[in-house]
Amino acid sequence: MKNLSAGNISFIDFKLNGFYSLEEWRPFLFIPYLLMFLLSITANSSLICLIISQKSLHSPMYVLIGLLSVVDLILPIFFVPNMLLSFLFNWSGISLTGCLVQMFCIYYVGSFQSTLILWMALDRYFAIFKPLYYHKYMEITNFLKFLIVPFIRNGLLNITMVSLAGKLSFCLTNVIDHCFCEHMALVQLACGDISINNMVGLLTVFLIPSADFIVVSVSYFVIFASLFKSGNAHMKTINTCITHIIVMASDLIFALMAFMSYRTRNNFSPSSRVFLSTMYLLFPSCFNPIVYGVRTKEIRQRFIQFISKGKVFSS
């Protein structure tokens, strides 16, 4: 695939060329990204199997953790294998259609990381403040109703963002300075006005992960205030809430830095931008199973029982 540039051509085939500045060192990135990918697959698969196989873990909170693991398991599959092949064999070609499909899958599936953490926070809120009605609020029929709004919100925003990107004409170059089809990395190659694309991209990141983070923070603040006011401060609950806020804040900072690096004047190198984008997607998939799984006492106890008995599935 040639790196072309013309004013009267709209490219339909592209080349993903992330970390190109590393030159001969670029193939060595295969090792750390492969290890992170294997960690994500192994940790999330183990957690999903554990939750499915243990009836004692079929309560709403653990189901939410299981769903988060499903998201974390699927998300890296959309871009890491292709990225690894690019590092080793320089297989970097992708069509515009393939690019848009990959973009939608990454952003739509990834948007549910923060949404599911939001529902974990609401689960804790109902358990503490509405204990008598907890099972009513969190039974499957009501729970599915609560999911409708996030499904529609995440879907509409991401479909709009990807559709607008697909309507652009790309005549500057066919080389995308990234390892996957990141929205602004593709859009900035367009030869027309991209202000609407820029605005919709920002709107998406502020209405999904940022909004979810705000609601989670408010929910946990209310929980903290109530516990301290009552003088019945459960350190386990406080520790869990603080951990969730720190992890979610870290993920959001990575995401905002990656998004804003394409929209503001800064000293980020192209490779730094690519690194930030890959980290805000891959980092949570690797460490969410540890934060929300291993650090949860009941899951940790069940996992230890699995190891001690040498069983993979049990009732």
Side-chain angles (χ1 to χ4, degrees):
M1 186 183 301
K2 297 180 180 180
N3 177 7
L4 301 173
S5 179
N8 57 353
I9 294 175
S10 182
F11 293 109
I12 58 173
D13 293 293
F14 296 88
K15 180 179 180 180
L16 294 166
N17 200 30
F19 295 113
Y20 72 92
S21 61
L22 297 181
E23 298 178 349
E24 68 272 9
W25 294 100
R26 187 171 181 268
F28 290 97
L29 293 174
F30 175 86
I31 297 174
Y33 277 103
L34 175 63
L35 292 176
M36 292 186 71
F37 182 61
L38 293 177
L39 173 61
S40 173
I41 297 296
T42 303
N44 286 295
S45 297
S46 300
L47 189 53
I48 292 169
C49 290
L50 183 69
I51 293 174
I52 290 176
S53 63
Q54 299 296 303
K55 291 182 180 180
S56 61
L57 298 179
H58 289 181
S59 61
M61 183 63 178
Y62 305 123
V63 171
L64 287 169
I65 293 175
L67 290 174
L68 181 62
S69 291
V70 172
V71 170
D72 290 335
L73 176 66
I74 295 174
L75 184 58
I77 295 175
F78 290 129
F79 72 98
V80 175
N82 186 64
M83 185 170 65
L84 295 176
L85 291 174
S86 175
F87 290 153
L88 284 185
F89 307 110
N90 201 29
W91 294 352
S92 54
I94 190 169
S95 67
L96 176 59
T97 301
C99 188
L100 295 174
V101 170
Q102 184 191 56
M103 185 189 302
F104 175 77
C105 291
I106 288 174
Y107 287 127
Y108 185 65
V109 174
S111 65
F112 284 97
Q113 286 181 324
S114 64
T115 301
L116 286 168
I117 294 173
L118 166 62
W119 282 112
M120 289 182 198
L122 294 179
D123 174 90
R124 293 300 85 199
Y125 179 88
F126 290 142
I128 293 173
F129 294 104
K130 304 287 185 179
L132 297 179
Y133 300 97
Y134 172 76
H135 292 289
K136 177 183 177 181
Y137 283 122
M138 297 305 293
E139 65 183 7
I140 190 64
T141 53
N142 288 330
F143 179 69
L144 291 176
K145 292 178 183 178
F146 289 134
L147 286 180
I148 291 176
V149 173
F151 265 106
I152 294 176
R153 178 199 63 175
N154 297 358
L156 286 178
L157 287 170
N158 284 293
I159 288 173
T160 301
M161 183 177 67
V162 174
S163 298
L164 289 173
K167 292 180 179 179
L168 296 172
S169 295
F170 302 96
C171 57
L172 296 180
T173 179
N174 67 336
V175 176
I176 302 174
D177 186 16
H178 218 290
C179 290
F180 63 87
C181 286
E182 204 275 344
H183 177 246
M184 283 305 296
L186 173 66
V187 167
Q188 68 180 0
L189 304 182
C191 47
D193 181 22
I194 61 171
S195 57
I196 294 179
N197 303 82
N198 192 5
M199 182 182 67
V200 172
L202 286 174
L203 194 64
T204 300
V205 74
F206 284 118
L207 288 182
I208 299 181
S210 299
D212 289 346
F213 175 75
I214 292 172
V215 176
V216 169
S217 299
V218 171
S219 299
Y220 284 157
F221 177 79
V222 172
I223 291 174
F224 292 157
S226 175
L227 291 177
F228 285 118
K229 185 177 180 180
S230 65
N232 188 24
H234 298 283
M235 292 309 299
K236 176 184 174 182
T237 301
I238 294 174
N239 181 53
T240 299
C241 293
I242 291 176
T243 302
H244 289 189
I245 290 176
I246 291 174
V247 172
M248 197 171 179
S250 301
D251 297 344
L252 182 60
I253 289 172
F254 269 124
L256 289 176
M257 289 177 66
F259 273 74
M260 298 308 296
S261 66
Y262 285 97
R263 296 172 169 88
T264 60
R265 291 184 179 181
N266 54 70
N267 295 322
F268 285 117
S269 66
S271 293
S272 298
R273 293 176 180 174
V274 177
F275 175 76
L276 287 172
S277 295
T278 56
M279 284 299 101
Y280 87 75
L281 292 176
L282 191 54
F283 183 84
S285 294
C286 291
F287 294 99
N288 280 347
I290 298 173
V291 173
Y292 299 106
V294 176
R295 292 190 78 256
T296 302
K297 181 180 179 181
E298 292 77 6
I299 292 179
R300 185 170 64 249
Q301 289 176 341
R302 287 293 178 178
F303 181 75
I304 293 174
Q305 290 177 8
F306 265 15
I307 298 299
S308 62
K309 294 180 180 180
K311 294 181 179 180
V312 178
F313 292 100
S314 64
S315 300

